Amino acid sequence: TDYDSKLLVYYDYDLFKGDQLLVHKKGIGGFFSEQDLAHASGIKDKAKPLLRQEKSNALTPLVACDKTAFSSEEVLALQNGRADLCFGAGFPANGINQQLYPDKLKMLDRVLDIDWRGGKYQLGRIITEAKVSKDHWAFAAHFKNDPVLPGTIMLEGNYQSIIFYLIYLGYRKVFPDELLPTFSIPGATSQSKFRGQVGQMDTHLRYQLDICQLSRDTEGYLDLRWDLLIYHNDVAIIQLENCDMRIAL
């Protein structure tokens, strides 16, 4: 569709594993001028009810941690398996790699704020920061003559932040010898908006994750949903609503 001299593309996307449909997506993308991008105003976060789930309670920590922010050195200590040097006494010091991120996909450098009773829905919030270097390997591949940071790499910070949040709450201690066993919630839906780009420069991104729903079922699963905003230069450029994760407890 050519709308007001802008090329918009409407598409459907299906991801299968064998014959099993894992993901179905309807999307809209487009091509815009440098002037359009320079004047993009970002995402306007609309007001929502304080709680989406009337009887939902915050996810109580299994291990107490009084810190509300974490330095790049503390995040690196966790990545290297020293949860005790990151969070403090009561967390494991067994040297097991926490697998927050593969080295080439690191999108978590600092935790600016964390509160298991805070956020828009009073169910928990984590705000993190990721540094982006103009020498990042992805700029050479995405795109030729128009280097921008891929959205998939920016979204790595979303997953890395929620895993940090779960470890902060003590859930890594439940599974000391393996990764957190996590899955997507069957039938879950989410909405995403992309309203800006990150060009080839030295900069940083800020991630804000607000837990919006928690529920436990009779089969021993914890279902977790949260909203995400990614900021660049204090402008919200990416929004995901109802991100989801199922945790086998």
Side-chain angles (χ1 to χ4, degrees):
T1 300
D2 190 354
Y3 177 75
D4 191 24
S5 300
K6 307 296 187 296
L7 179 62
L8 301 180
V9 180
Y10 296 75
Y11 63 93
D12 287 355
Y13 169 84
D14 291 322
L15 174 63
F16 288 87
K17 179 181 180 181
D19 294 330
Q20 181 184 9
L21 177 63
L22 299 180
V23 177
H24 174 69
K25 178 180 179 180
K26 290 182 176 293
I28 306 173
F31 295 88
F32 303 91
S33 68
E34 292 293 338
Q35 183 178 7
D36 292 330
L37 295 171
H39 291 88
S41 59
I43 293 168
K44 306 302 181 184
D45 192 25
K46 297 180 181 179
K48 300 174 185 176
L50 181 61
L51 293 176
R52 292 190 185 172
Q53 187 178 1
E54 294 181 359
K55 296 183 179 180
S56 184
N57 297 312
L59 191 59
T60 305
L62 300 179
V63 184
C65 177
D66 295 330
K67 295 181 180 179
T68 58
F70 298 86
S71 67
S72 58
E73 291 79 12
E74 289 170 323
V75 172
L76 182 59
L78 178 61
Q79 170 73 1
N80 292 332
R82 293 300 304 270
D84 59 321
L85 297 182
C86 181
F87 299 111
F91 287 82
N94 52 15
I96 295 176
N97 192 306
Q98 301 298 310
Q99 295 293 318
L100 284 173
Y101 49 79
D103 289 339
K104 288 189 175 182
L105 293 178
K106 179 181 180 181
M107 292 300 291
L108 172 59
D109 286 283
R110 293 194 299 156
V111 176
L112 305 180
D113 185 52
I114 192 167
D115 183 353
W116 64 273
R117 288 173 293 192
K120 290 190 293 184
Y121 311 107
Q122 299 180 355
L123 295 174
R125 165 180 282 181
I126 179 171
I127 300 176
T128 65
E129 182 182 87
K131 294 181 180 179
V132 178
S133 168
K134 64 182 179 181
D135 298 321
H136 195 289
W137 61 268
F139 288 123
H142 188 277
F143 298 99
K144 183 178 180 180
N145 300 326
D146 183 21
V148 293
L149 193 66
T152 50
I153 288 182
M154 287 191 277
L155 291 178
E156 277 289 326
N158 178 37
Y159 178 77
Q160 293 167 22
S161 296
I162 200 66
I163 292 298
F164 185 99
Y165 182 75
L166 290 170
I167 298 173
Y168 157 82
L169 293 176
Y171 279 82
R172 185 63 176 88
K173 193 173 182 179
V174 177
F175 311 101
D177 299 320
E178 59 180 331
L179 299 178
L180 282 167
T182 60
F183 318 89
S184 293
I185 301 173
T189 61
S190 62
Q191 300 79 41
S192 61
K193 296 178 182 177
F194 294 75
R195 294 291 187 272
Q197 66 178 10
V198 178
Q200 190 170 12
M201 65 182 76
D202 293 325
T203 187
H204 65 270
L205 300 174
R206 187 172 78 251
Y207 294 77
Q208 177 180 306
L209 287 71
D210 287 290
I211 309 301
C212 60
Q213 188 175 19
L214 293 162
S215 60
R216 295 174 175 83
D217 65 18
T218 57
E219 297 180 0
Y221 292 116
L222 171 68
D223 288 347
L224 177 67
R225 297 175 188 261
W226 67 95
D227 290 346
L228 166 74
L229 284 170
I230 302 179
Y231 293 85
H232 182 231
N233 293 332
D234 293 323
V235 175
I237 61 171
I238 295 178
Q239 180 184 50
L240 269 67
E241 293 184 310
N242 290 323
C243 303
D244 70 275
M245 179 178 290
R246 169 165 286 184
I247 306 166
L249 300 179

